[in-house]
Amino acid sequence: MSQEHSQSIESANTHHADDAHDHKPQGFSRWFYTTNHKDIGTLYLLFALLMLFTGGSMAMVIRAELFQPGLQFVDPHFFNQMTTVHGLVMVFGAIMPTFVGLANWMVPMMIGAPDMALPRMNNWSFWLLPCAFTILLSTLFMEGGAPAAGWTFYAPLSTTYSNDSTAFFVFAVHLMGISSIMGAMNIIVTIFNLRAPGMTWMKLPLFVWTWIITAFLLIAVMPVLAGVVTMVLTDKYFGTSFFNAAGGGDPVMFQHIFWFFGHPEVYIMILPAFGIISSIVPAFARKPLFGYESMVIATASIAFLSFIVWAHHMFTTGMPVAAELFFMYTTMLIAVPTGVKVFNWVATMWRGAMTFETPMMFAIAFIVLFTIGGLSGLMLAITPADFQYQDTYFVVAHFHYVLVTGALFGIIAGVYFWIPKWTGVMYSERLGQCHFWCSLISVNMLFFPMHFVGLAGMPRRIPDYALQFADMNAFISIGGFLFGLSQLLFVWVVFRCIRRKGEKATAQVWEGAEGLEWQVPSPAPYHTFQTPPEIKSGH
Amino acid sequence: MSAGYQHYYVPHQSHWPIVGAIALFLMGFGAAHWVNDDFIGPILLTIGFGMLLLMLFGWFGNVIEESMSGLYSEQMDHSFRQGMSWFIFSEIMFFAAFFGALFYARMISVPWLDGAGDNAMTAAVLWPNFEAIWPLIKTPAGVETQAMPWEGIPLINTLILLASSVTLQFAHMGIEQQKPAQLGFFLMLTIILGFCFLALQGYEYVHAYEELGLRLDSGVYGNTFFLLTGFHGMHVTLGAIFLTVIFLRIAVKGHFTSEKHFGFQAAAWYWHFVDVVWLNLFVFVYVL
């Protein structure tokens, strides 16, 4: 792929005015030895796309099995492997790397930097990911299979009752963690240190702001994940009893440490999407973002609160009532800054001269559907209610609304928004709209009924279910297959752009788009801003 | 922010990162095989580690060369400083996970096993004879051990590390005031103190295993003791190697000036960080 890609970029650039600056290496060394933020961004995005389909195909196995009650295609152990690896691949392989890829591409251009602050480390961060996922996915082909304890790998499922794949899982997570931490360090240092003169804090595009905060969260919690997987490793292989009551430990301790990482992790997967939506909505409403300062403060508040809400994932595991109340109220508090954000997006659109190109469609769908996911989160935050919802499909519906129609829709919106800048050609609007409507309808067929089966008591992570859930599950599975197929359209759209099929894009691309990234030509030259641009006043 | 922006150095290409990625892949894959008792494990791990060392030599070599030939602006210096600070912050959070486990075990899980809070039935049904004391010298399942006293080696080690932070500060003053003899002497002294600490720590581990019966698998006290002190010891080892490399760069290659010596400072920051971690360890693992 890389050969074709680089050649087509080359041919498109031969008549380019910036040719002298656009000198770039070719072939193998370009992609493996690169220090260029755009190349590394491309690698991240393509890797994440591959992982999206890897994790997605596992979701298809899950939905095929759940199409009917009873056991059809896979045995329960393999089903557990699928739910586990699906989660791990989507979280660490698809969503997080996409955001890092988008940051790589856009942050230096948005702040007027020549590249990322530490370009070689940037390359290292990326290439650790394929290594990590090779280790993780290799377990699927080993005796005993892949990890099957859920992506949350609760002890003792991941210790006493797990198989040999645990060690592979642990070291794969270590590599992912090293990659994420280095990626985050790079991004945060770039933003702190490489802003063009005049690019003051309150002029930063919101995507950049959300990434500062995300990077902080990553550096703060990925090491905690490294710690907890290390304890899992020593509990399983070296006779420690961190999560074993017989030795004075506690399985619940695992959950505390895991979710201390896990809850900020949830915001790591949504904050950059907030940033993308905050870029897209003003562009297509042709109005400045409403309440810029409050957006920044809201993002920071969400990040702060993310550190003191973790135990809402564990209301039913046994905690003193005072702790349950504390975590219930702090969790509900998160609705306030999140509400501020949704309000601001809607207020930005209010009386705007709106057009509805594909990025805007996905952004609007994001606002509506993410809000649904947020509201079901509010329901789950209520401790006594959670006793009922816990471990049902209601939870699955909730987090897929925030992660699929939230994070993933935000990503897709961002790709449509920025791909003309990356490739120099407009995507096909017809295909884009088609992709949007197919995705919108199928994703709601897929996840909305999960609320109902969940409220009716269908437990998650089990390959079989009671007969009364059969019709709903068949419907959900059809939605799932359709959603999976719809994403093939997306791949088609993206690859048409990579192959330069489409109208040539202007530098500004979108009439209402503002910011430094829209002042450089499309496709963006290989090296942007070798000397810093001048920043005019205003956002 | 704006100073020196114009010449931010972006390295052309480098093969070291991918070598590093493959090295860590081999190490992770090898370690996973090893703990599953697969003979290929140690082999892969060794090859990976060798590659990692090669990568470190090559990569740092490049950086040093570029720095010495004046390619780095002041802004690049800021990037390194900020990067190192965030790295140390991530290390703090790594230790926080293990301190969190220690506090949780001590304040919550062990008392609960003895019936604290509303857990009377837990205690009555599971291990009625269990007594919650810290250090946990007898686990609910009955594994017995002895606690590591803080007097003696841990106290000496504390003094050694504290002294090493002071001597490192003197070395830093030496580099800033262009007193090479002071720099060399105190840096060497710091390194020697670091290795003394490690030697005593090793002796303490032997003592723990052979005389106190305190082992990695003797319940949550032993777990937290060995993982916290063990990871700290690994960091001291790294820090001491880091300082040794800096010493060699000064003594053999004549690197660093009184104004430009970030490599030295990074090593010093790291050393002070492991020192602070130790102080916490000393208080929470040994004394209290």
Side-chain angles (χ1 to χ4, degrees), chain A residues 23 25 29-30 32-35 111-121 123-124 127-128 131-132 134-135 138 142 164-165 167-168 171 175 178 181 185 188-189 192-199 216 219-221 223-224 226-228 230-231 233-235 237-242 245-250 252-253 256-257 260 307 318-320 529-533, chain B residues 1-2 5-22 24-29 31-33 35-36 52 55-56 59 62-63 66 72 74-80 82-84 86-87 89-91 93-94 96-98 100-102 104-105 108-110 112-113 118 126-127 130 136 139-142 216-221 223-224 227 231:
Chain A
H23 176 72
S29 78
R30 170 170 177 196
F32 286 91
Y33 300 162
T34 183
T35 50
I111 63 173
D115 203 292
M116 296 292 279
L118 303 158
R120 276 174 290 222
M121 196 173 84
N123 176 315
W124 198 18
W127 280 108
L128 278 173
C131 294
T134 307
I135 297 179
S138 72
M142 283 176 190
D164 288 351
S165 63
F168 292 89
F171 289 108
L175 294 198
I178 295 170
I181 291 168
M185 274 165 53
I188 205 166
V189 172
F192 270 71
N193 195 30
L194 263 61
R195 281 169 293 132
M199 180 58 86
F216 171 75
I219 301 171
V221 301
V224 177
V228 78
T230 304
M231 290 180 223
L233 185 82
T234 58
D235 263 19
Y237 295 97
F238 298 101
T240 63
S241 28
F242 285 105
D250 187 348
V252 178
M253 174 159 81
H256 279 291
I257 307 175
F260 183 81
F307 284 101
M319 261 188 298
F529 304 130
Q530 276 157 321
T531 50
Chain B
M1 179 184 87
S2 60
Y5 186 97
Q6 281 76 0
H7 302 291
Y8 197 83
Y9 177 71
V10 178
H12 189 52
Q13 276 198 327
S14 175
H15 57 276
W16 294 119
I18 189 108
V19 173
I22 295 166
L24 288 185
F25 168 77
L26 289 174
M27 287 175 72
F29 204 54
H33 276 291
V35 295
N36 283 315
L52 187 72
M55 183 277 282
L56 290 172
W59 192 336
N62 284 352
V63 173
E66 288 159 7
Y72 291 168
E74 197 184 326
Q75 200 180 14
M76 179 60 97
D77 193 60
H78 287 295
S79 288
F80 285 140
Q82 291 177 11
M84 188 68 195
W86 287 114
F87 170 64
F89 174 59
S90 77
E91 293 269 47
M93 292 309 291
F94 180 74
F98 291 93
L102 172 70
Y104 188 92
I108 297 177
S109 71
V110 170
W112 281 7
L113 285 167
D118 53 4
L126 283 176
W127 292 285
F130 174 66
L136 185 69
T139 67
L216 179 61
D217 56 6
S218 39
V220 79
Y221 172 62
N223 306 159
T224 49
L227 260 74
F231 276 118

Side-chain angles (χ1 to χ4, degrees), chain A residues 207-358:
Chain A
F207 180 68
V208 179
W209 255 117
T210 52
W211 244 114
I212 295 177
I213 292 162
T214 304
F216 171 75
L217 292 179
L218 276 167
I219 301 171
V221 301
M222 291 308 284
V224 177
L225 175 68
V228 78
V229 293
T230 304
M231 290 180 223
V232 164
L233 185 82
T234 58
D235 263 19
K236 178 152 181 69
Y237 295 97
F238 298 101
T240 63
S241 28
F242 285 105
F243 311 132
N244 178 1
D250 187 348
V252 178
M253 174 159 81
F254 171 87
Q255 298 180 27
H256 279 291
I257 307 175
F258 176 81
W259 285 114
F260 183 81
F261 145 79
H263 202 78
E265 168 68 20
V266 172
Y267 295 136
I268 288 165
M269 292 190 285
I270 198 64
L271 293 182
F274 287 171
I276 296 169
I277 301 305
S278 303
S279 309
I280 291 175
V281 171
F284 293 94
R286 291 165 182 76
K287 272 176 67 190
L289 184 70
F290 182 88
Y292 172 90
E293 287 84 357
S294 66
M295 282 296 211
V296 174
I297 295 166
T299 312
S301 316
I302 292 172
F304 169 73
L305 288 171
S306 74
F307 284 101
I308 53 167
V309 297
W310 76 86
H312 67 216
H313 297 270
M314 327 163 27
F315 281 146
T316 60
T317 49
M319 261 188 298
V321 176
E324 306 235 330
L325 288 175
F326 172 80
F327 286 109
M328 173 167 92
Y329 289 130
T330 51
T331 304
M332 292 175 138
L333 263 184
I334 294 177
V336 177
T338 315
V340 167
K341 283 182 164 293
V342 173
F343 179 86
N344 285 351
W345 290 321
V346 175
T348 306
M349 290 189 276
W350 180 252
R351 295 190 168 170
M354 292 211 286
T355 51
F356 299 95
E357 288 88 342
T358 314

